[in-house]
Tab-separated table of all heavy atoms in Angstrom:
chain	number	residue	atom	x	y	z
A	489	VAL	N	-5.532	4.926	0.801
A	489	VAL	CA	-6.762	5.184	1.549
A	489	VAL	C	-7.610	6.246	0.856
A	489	VAL	O	-8.851	6.175	0.866
A	489	VAL	CB	-6.449	5.596	3.007
A	489	VAL	CG1	-5.742	6.940	3.077
A	489	VAL	CG2	-7.723	5.615	3.848
A	492	LEU	N	-9.352	4.694	-2.032
A	492	LEU	CA	-10.448	3.881	-1.499
A	492	LEU	C	-11.675	4.746	-1.233
A	492	LEU	O	-12.805	4.388	-1.607
A	492	LEU	CB	-10.001	3.196	-0.205
A	492	LEU	CG	-11.101	2.502	0.609
A	492	LEU	CD1	-11.623	1.284	-0.129
A	492	LEU	CD2	-10.581	2.108	1.990
A	493	LEU	N	-11.471	5.879	-0.600
A	493	LEU	CA	-12.590	6.775	-0.302
A	493	LEU	C	-13.268	7.254	-1.583
A	493	LEU	O	-14.501	7.239	-1.695
A	493	LEU	CB	-12.092	7.975	0.505
A	493	LEU	CG	-11.590	7.683	1.926
A	493	LEU	CD1	-10.965	8.932	2.529
A	493	LEU	CD2	-12.714	7.174	2.810
A	564	LEU	N	-13.446	15.848	2.354
A	564	LEU	CA	-13.842	14.737	3.222
A	564	LEU	C	-15.314	14.836	3.606
A	564	LEU	O	-16.013	13.817	3.677
A	564	LEU	CB	-12.968	14.702	4.473
A	564	LEU	CG	-13.213	13.518	5.415
A	564	LEU	CD1	-13.027	12.184	4.691
A	564	LEU	CD2	-12.299	13.586	6.635
A	568	ASN	N	-18.106	11.985	2.989
A	568	ASN	CA	-18.980	11.466	4.041
A	568	ASN	C	-20.455	11.648	3.700
A	568	ASN	O	-21.297	10.841	4.105
A	568	ASN	CB	-18.648	12.138	5.372
A	568	ASN	CG	-17.346	11.625	5.960
A	568	ASN	OD1	-16.915	10.516	5.652
A	568	ASN	ND2	-16.706	12.426	6.797
A	571	ILE	N	-21.134	8.588	1.492
A	571	ILE	CA	-20.923	7.260	2.085
A	571	ILE	C	-21.816	7.041	3.303
A	571	ILE	O	-22.408	5.968	3.472
A	571	ILE	CB	-19.441	7.085	2.481
A	571	ILE	CG1	-18.556	7.001	1.232
A	571	ILE	CG2	-19.255	5.841	3.349
A	571	ILE	CD1	-17.068	6.940	1.536
A	578	LEU	N	-23.156	-0.393	8.066
A	578	LEU	CA	-22.395	-0.164	9.293
A	578	LEU	C	-23.158	0.762	10.239
A	578	LEU	O	-23.214	0.531	11.452
A	578	LEU	CB	-21.033	0.440	8.966
A	578	LEU	CG	-20.029	-0.457	8.244
A	578	LEU	CD1	-18.775	0.333	7.905
A	578	LEU	CD2	-19.664	-1.666	9.089
A	657	ALA	N	-10.230	11.016	13.040
A	657	ALA	CA	-10.422	10.944	11.590
A	657	ALA	C	-9.972	12.219	10.884
A	657	ALA	O	-9.865	12.233	9.655
A	657	ALA	CB	-11.885	10.648	11.260
A	660	LEU	N	-7.219	12.023	8.345
A	660	LEU	CA	-7.443	11.858	6.905
A	660	LEU	C	-7.293	13.194	6.184
A	660	LEU	O	-6.885	13.244	5.023
A	660	LEU	CB	-8.834	11.279	6.646
A	660	LEU	CG	-9.052	9.836	7.097
A	660	LEU	CD1	-10.541	9.506	7.129
A	660	LEU	CD2	-8.308	8.870	6.182
A	665	PHE	N	-2.959	10.000	8.576
A	665	PHE	CA	-3.595	8.705	8.839
A	665	PHE	C	-2.758	7.510	8.387
A	665	PHE	O	-2.594	6.551	9.164
A	665	PHE	CB	-4.987	8.630	8.204
A	665	PHE	CG	-5.582	7.245	8.281
A	665	PHE	CD1	-6.186	6.802	9.447
A	665	PHE	CD2	-5.502	6.367	7.203
A	665	PHE	CE1	-6.706	5.514	9.540
A	665	PHE	CE2	-6.015	5.087	7.286
A	665	PHE	CZ	-6.618	4.658	8.459
A	669	ALA	N	-1.786	4.773	11.245
A	669	ALA	CA	-2.359	3.429	11.180
A	669	ALA	C	-1.264	2.376	11.084
A	669	ALA	O	-1.357	1.301	11.695
A	669	ALA	CB	-3.309	3.323	9.990
A	677	THR	N	-7.153	-0.581	17.492
A	677	THR	CA	-7.261	0.771	16.955
A	677	THR	C	-8.713	1.188	16.761
A	677	THR	O	-9.555	0.391	16.332
A	677	THR	CB	-6.530	0.879	15.607
A	677	THR	OG1	-6.982	-0.166	14.747
A	677	THR	CG2	-5.028	0.765	15.796
A	679	LEU	N	-10.791	4.328	14.896
A	679	LEU	CA	-10.851	5.545	14.078
A	679	LEU	C	-12.126	6.266	14.470
A	679	LEU	O	-13.219	5.703	14.363
A	679	LEU	CB	-10.856	5.200	12.591
A	679	LEU	CG	-10.875	6.392	11.624
A	679	LEU	CD1	-9.614	7.236	11.765
A	679	LEU	CD2	-11.038	5.916	10.185
A	683	SER	N	-15.649	13.215	11.505
A	683	SER	CA	-15.034	13.145	10.176
A	683	SER	C	-14.909	11.716	9.661
A	683	SER	O	-14.441	11.509	8.537
A	683	SER	CB	-13.635	13.781	10.211
A	683	SER	OG	-13.660	15.090	10.714
A	684	THR	N	-15.318	10.730	10.447
A	684	THR	CA	-15.107	9.321	10.093
A	684	THR	C	-16.030	8.851	8.980
A	684	THR	O	-17.254	8.935	9.110
A	684	THR	CB	-15.325	8.422	11.323
A	684	THR	OG1	-14.442	8.823	12.370
A	684	THR	CG2	-15.079	6.960	10.980
A	685	PRO	N	-15.491	8.320	7.889
A	685	PRO	CA	-16.329	7.651	6.888
A	685	PRO	C	-16.689	6.245	7.382
A	685	PRO	O	-15.819	5.516	7.860
A	685	PRO	CB	-15.426	7.576	5.644
A	685	PRO	CG	-14.267	8.503	5.934
A	685	PRO	CD	-14.108	8.484	7.422
A	686	TRP	N	-17.944	5.872	7.239
A	686	TRP	CA	-18.384	4.549	7.681
A	686	TRP	C	-18.068	3.528	6.583
A	686	TRP	O	-18.929	3.163	5.787
A	686	TRP	CB	-19.872	4.555	7.996
A	686	TRP	CG	-20.231	5.280	9.258
A	686	TRP	CD1	-20.554	6.596	9.386
A	686	TRP	CD2	-20.310	4.719	10.572
A	686	TRP	NE1	-20.829	6.898	10.701
A	686	TRP	CE2	-20.692	5.764	11.451
A	686	TRP	CE3	-20.104	3.437	11.090
A	686	TRP	CZ2	-20.860	5.561	12.817
A	686	TRP	CZ3	-20.276	3.237	12.453
A	686	TRP	CH2	-20.651	4.289	13.302
A	687	LEU	N	-16.833	3.063	6.566
A	687	LEU	CA	-16.382	2.088	5.571
A	687	LEU	C	-15.704	0.913	6.266
A	687	LEU	O	-14.724	1.096	6.995
A	687	LEU	CB	-15.384	2.721	4.596
A	687	LEU	CG	-15.915	3.500	3.396
A	687	LEU	CD1	-14.753	3.990	2.549
A	687	LEU	CD2	-16.851	2.640	2.559
A	688	ALA	N	-16.195	-0.290	6.002
A	688	ALA	CA	-15.595	-1.489	6.590
A	688	ALA	C	-14.187	-1.722	6.059
A	688	ALA	O	-13.374	-2.393	6.706
A	688	ALA	CB	-16.471	-2.706	6.306
A	689	GLU	N	-13.890	-1.162	4.889
A	689	GLU	CA	-12.576	-1.374	4.276
A	689	GLU	C	-11.432	-0.748	5.063
A	689	GLU	O	-10.254	-1.009	4.764
A	689	GLU	CB	-12.577	-0.835	2.844
A	689	GLU	CG	-13.350	-1.685	1.852
A	689	GLU	CD	-14.851	-1.404	1.868
A	689	GLU	OE1	-15.305	-0.624	2.743
A	689	GLU	OE2	-15.575	-1.951	1.020
A	690	PHE	N	-11.731	0.048	6.069
A	690	PHE	CA	-10.653	0.560	6.918
A	690	PHE	C	-9.935	-0.573	7.651
A	690	PHE	O	-8.823	-0.381	8.156
A	690	PHE	CB	-11.189	1.585	7.920
A	690	PHE	CG	-11.265	2.982	7.370
A	690	PHE	CD1	-12.486	3.565	7.080
A	690	PHE	CD2	-10.106	3.710	7.129
A	690	PHE	CE1	-12.559	4.848	6.562
A	690	PHE	CE2	-10.163	4.996	6.612
A	690	PHE	CZ	-11.395	5.571	6.322
A	691	ALA	N	-10.560	-1.736	7.702
A	691	ALA	CA	-9.892	-2.898	8.299
A	691	ALA	C	-8.615	-3.249	7.540
A	691	ALA	O	-7.689	-3.832	8.108
A	691	ALA	CB	-10.838	-4.095	8.325
A	692	ARG	N	-8.548	-2.898	6.256
A	692	ARG	CA	-7.326	-3.149	5.483
A	692	ARG	C	-6.138	-2.383	6.053
A	692	ARG	O	-4.982	-2.755	5.827
A	692	ARG	CB	-7.520	-2.717	4.025
A	692	ARG	CG	-8.607	-3.443	3.264
A	692	ARG	CD	-8.660	-2.892	1.843
A	692	ARG	NE	-9.858	-3.287	1.133
A	692	ARG	CZ	-10.216	-2.782	-0.042
A	692	ARG	NH1	-9.454	-1.860	-0.621
A	692	ARG	NH2	-11.324	-3.190	-0.628
A	693	PHE	N	-6.436	-1.314	6.779
A	693	PHE	CA	-5.388	-0.486	7.370
A	693	PHE	C	-5.241	-0.789	8.857
A	693	PHE	O	-4.740	0.029	9.625
A	693	PHE	CB	-5.710	0.993	7.138
A	693	PHE	CG	-5.911	1.335	5.688
A	693	PHE	CD1	-7.178	1.255	5.113
A	693	PHE	CD2	-4.841	1.686	4.883
A	693	PHE	CE1	-7.369	1.541	3.769
A	693	PHE	CE2	-5.028	1.977	3.542
A	693	PHE	CZ	-6.288	1.897	2.976
A	694	ASP	N	-5.704	-1.991	9.246
A	694	ASP	CA	-5.599	-2.479	10.624
A	694	ASP	C	-6.402	-1.650	11.616
A	694	ASP	O	-6.045	-1.565	12.797
A	694	ASP	CB	-4.129	-2.557	11.062
A	694	ASP	CG	-3.333	-3.544	10.221
A	694	ASP	OD1	-3.742	-4.713	10.138
A	694	ASP	OD2	-2.310	-3.146	9.631
A	695	ILE	N	-7.490	-1.039	11.143
A	695	ILE	CA	-8.426	-0.380	12.047
A	695	ILE	C	-9.407	-1.432	12.552
A	695	ILE	O	-9.968	-2.204	11.769
A	695	ILE	CB	-9.180	0.761	11.338
A	695	ILE	CG1	-8.196	1.852	10.896
A	695	ILE	CG2	-10.258	1.346	12.246
A	695	ILE	CD1	-7.421	2.507	12.030
A	696	ASP	N	-9.613	-1.466	13.864
A	696	ASP	CA	-10.473	-2.485	14.473
A	696	ASP	C	-11.897	-1.999	14.721
A	696	ASP	O	-12.851	-2.755	14.565
A	696	ASP	CB	-9.860	-2.949	15.797
A	696	ASP	CG	-8.520	-3.620	15.594
A	696	ASP	OD1	-8.484	-4.665	14.924
A	696	ASP	OD2	-7.505	-3.092	16.086
A	697	PHE	N	-12.025	-0.742	15.126
A	697	PHE	CA	-13.347	-0.190	15.424
A	697	PHE	C	-13.512	1.159	14.726
A	697	PHE	O	-12.561	1.945	14.643
A	697	PHE	CB	-13.531	0.025	16.933
A	697	PHE	CG	-13.545	-1.238	17.745
A	697	PHE	CD1	-12.365	-1.761	18.253
A	697	PHE	CD2	-14.736	-1.899	18.004
A	697	PHE	CE1	-12.362	-2.922	19.007
A	697	PHE	CE2	-14.750	-3.068	18.761
A	697	PHE	CZ	-13.562	-3.584	19.261
A	698	LEU	N	-14.724	1.411	14.253
A	698	LEU	CA	-15.099	2.738	13.780
A	698	LEU	C	-16.027	3.359	14.815
A	698	LEU	O	-16.966	2.709	15.295
A	698	LEU	CB	-15.828	2.668	12.436
A	698	LEU	CG	-15.035	2.198	11.214
A	698	LEU	CD1	-15.931	2.219	9.977
A	698	LEU	CD2	-13.797	3.049	10.990
A	733	ILE	N	-15.048	-3.629	13.123
A	733	ILE	CA	-14.805	-4.028	11.730
A	733	ILE	C	-13.574	-4.927	11.625
A	733	ILE	O	-13.128	-5.239	10.516
A	733	ILE	CB	-14.624	-2.803	10.808
A	733	ILE	CG1	-13.402	-1.972	11.231
A	733	ILE	CG2	-15.882	-1.955	10.773
A	733	ILE	CD1	-13.009	-0.904	10.224
A	737	ASN	N	-9.691	-9.522	10.542
A	737	ASN	CA	-8.277	-9.397	10.895
A	737	ASN	C	-7.916	-10.341	12.034
A	737	ASN	O	-6.820	-10.909	12.073
A	737	ASN	CB	-7.957	-7.954	11.294
A	737	ASN	CG	-7.927	-7.008	10.105
A	737	ASN	OD1	-7.838	-7.448	8.960
A	737	ASN	ND2	-8.007	-5.717	10.368
Side-chain angles (χ1 to χ4, degrees):
V489 66
L492 170 68
L493 293 173
L564 184 57
N568 286 336
I571 291 175
L578 291 176
L660 292 165
F665 172 80
T677 52
L679 182 63
S683 306
T684 302
W686 287 91
L687 276 182
E689 287 83 354
F690 274 108
R692 298 180 194 170
F693 304 90
D694 297 305
I695 297 299
D696 297 297
F697 294 90
L698 293 181
I733 62 169
N737 287 343

